[in-house]
Amino acid sequence: MGAAEAASTAPLRTLLREDFERHSRSLVHPGLHALVVHRIGFWGLSQPAPVRRAVKVAHRLVNRLVIQNLYGTEIADEAIIGRRVAIGHHQAVQIPAFAVIGDDSTLRSGITIGFTDGAETRREAVPHIGRDVSIGPGAVLVGAITVGDGAQIGPNANVSTDVPAGATAFAPPARILRPQARAQGAQRAEPDHTRTA
């Protein structure tokens, strides 16, 4: 059992307290709200039928109205999220069912953790992210990949292969155009209206 999977056996109260601490003890932090709603939904899946049904109704209502529609964060109930995970910037964060995110990892805005079509089950088609992984804004991680402990995923990186522990995955650096080259390029792009046919 991995660290994130083991988190699912920890008491709900312990997980919520750790999440609160990880989000600077701020009760108004949207990332904390998203995790609290996810934790309660995930906890509800393992409860007896009457409790599970009640939690499911309340969870769907709050999750849809606040976390998805207002915060722009989508975390499936069945996603496995480790302890002390931080959602530093909450907008446009997507985490599908059965994805695994290890303890002490940090997620930022605009990230997509997704599955690929073609696998026999959805469980086999999603990323497994290790402990203490930092994922930069705009990053996309898709498919049955493993991101090792302590890895860093840079902003706007598109990751579809395994990332070794401690490694860094980053997008191509921006191309810098010098002011003179940029001006010449703009002149070439403008049509010449002075020429006659």
Side-chain angles (χ1 to χ4, degrees):
M1 180 183 292
E5 289 89 340
S8 63
T9 64
L12 178 61
R13 181 179 298 181
T14 299
L15 295 173
L16 296 180
R17 185 179 68 249
E18 291 176 347
D19 291 338
F20 174 62
E21 296 287 340
R22 185 78 160 93
H23 289 84
S24 305
R25 301 177 61 84
S26 172
L27 288 173
V28 296
H29 197 297
L32 173 63
H33 299 168
L35 273 176
V36 166
V37 171
H38 167 73
R39 300 280 193 208
I40 292 171
F42 188 87
W43 169 81
L45 296 174
S46 63
Q47 300 307 302
V51 175
R52 184 170 62 247
R53 283 193 291 269
V55 169
K56 186 173 184 178
V57 170
H59 174 267
R60 282 193 173 178
L61 183 64
V62 175
N63 194 40
R64 186 64 56 87
L65 292 178
V66 179
I67 305 305
Q68 291 184 18
N69 292 347
L70 184 60
Y71 291 171
T73 300
E74 295 186 30
I75 306 175
D77 296 354
E78 299 89 352
I80 301 170
I81 298 181
R83 301 171 77 158
R84 300 173 302 277
V85 169
I87 301 178
H89 307 285
H90 63 281
Q91 286 291 345
V93 172
Q94 297 186 9
I95 305 173
F98 312 120
V100 176
I101 299 175
D103 299 346
D104 303 301
S105 292
T106 301
L107 315 178
R108 295 180 180 84
S109 63
I111 68 166
T112 298
I113 298 171
F115 60 89
T116 51
D117 295 328
E120 290 185 12
T121 69
R122 183 88 50 101
R123 288 180 185 275
E124 299 171 355
V126 292
H128 284 229
I129 297 166
R131 300 172 59 117
D132 196 29
V133 172
S134 175
I135 303 178
V140 176
L141 296 88
V142 293
I145 63 172
T146 298
V147 178
D149 295 348
Q152 295 194 43
I153 310 300
N156 299 315
N158 194 326
V159 182
S160 57
T161 59
D162 292 347
V163 179
T168 300
F170 57 91
R175 211 173 115 215
I176 307 299
L177 294 178
R178 300 196 180 280
Q180 183 179 4
R182 190 172 60 225
Q184 289 173 352
Q187 287 175 357
R188 283 195 299 270
E190 290 179 5
D192 187 355
H193 297 294
T194 61
R195 298 178 63 184
T196 59

